[in-house]
Amino acid sequence: MKYANIPEYIISYKELNTTERLLMGIIYSLSVMSGDCFASNEYFAKMLCVSTRTISTSLSSLKREDLIESHFINGTRKIFLTEKFKSKIEE
């Protein structure tokens, strides 16, 4: 991935810290084409120069804010953007 596209909605989302905003931008960018993101916590950690624990905590926060949901499909974690998030970026 060469760059992340971070929607204005996420940049100005006060309940998220900077790492969570950047992570959301990466997830959004990776999800645009296929509708989901299957990157690992290790991949996210390397991209953002943080620990995998920080990524895990950030993903939990994004889920708590109802911006993403994740499911295991055929043994692979897939992260999906929620309808709440999609409706906000389409405004």
Side-chain angles (χ1 to χ4, degrees), residues 26-37:
I26 293 170
I27 293 168
Y28 174 70
S29 296
L30 292 172
S31 300
V32 169
M33 296 299 275
S34 65
D36 63 52
C37 168

Side-chain angles (χ1 to χ4, degrees), residues 1-87:
M1 183 172 76
K2 302 226 184 247
Y3 64 91
N5 183 6
I6 306 172
E8 181 182 354
Y9 170 68
I10 293 301
I11 290 172
S12 61
Y13 201 107
K14 294 185 185 341
E15 288 79 13
L16 300 179
N17 66 36
T18 303
T19 300
E20 293 161 351
R21 291 175 189 168
L22 290 171
L23 180 58
M24 192 65 207
I26 293 170
I27 293 168
Y28 174 70
S29 296
L30 292 172
S31 300
V32 169
M33 296 299 275
S34 65
D36 63 52
C37 168
F38 58 88
S40 67
N41 287 11
E42 291 79 13
Y43 174 81
F44 292 135
K46 184 177 177 183
M47 290 286 294
L48 297 174
C49 300
V50 298
S51 69
T52 55
R53 182 177 176 108
T54 298
I55 296 300
S56 181
T57 301
S58 296
L59 289 170
S60 293
S61 178
L62 295 175
K63 288 178 192 174
R64 198 170 33 258
E65 291 296 322
D66 194 29
L67 298 171
I68 62 168
E69 53 187 50
S70 64
H71 305 283
F72 281 89
I73 300 172
N74 297 326
T76 302
R77 178 187 69 188
K78 295 202 175 225
I79 300 171
F80 299 90
L81 304 173
T82 63
E83 291 304 316
K84 172 188 173 181
F85 174 77
K86 290 177 191 175
S87 68

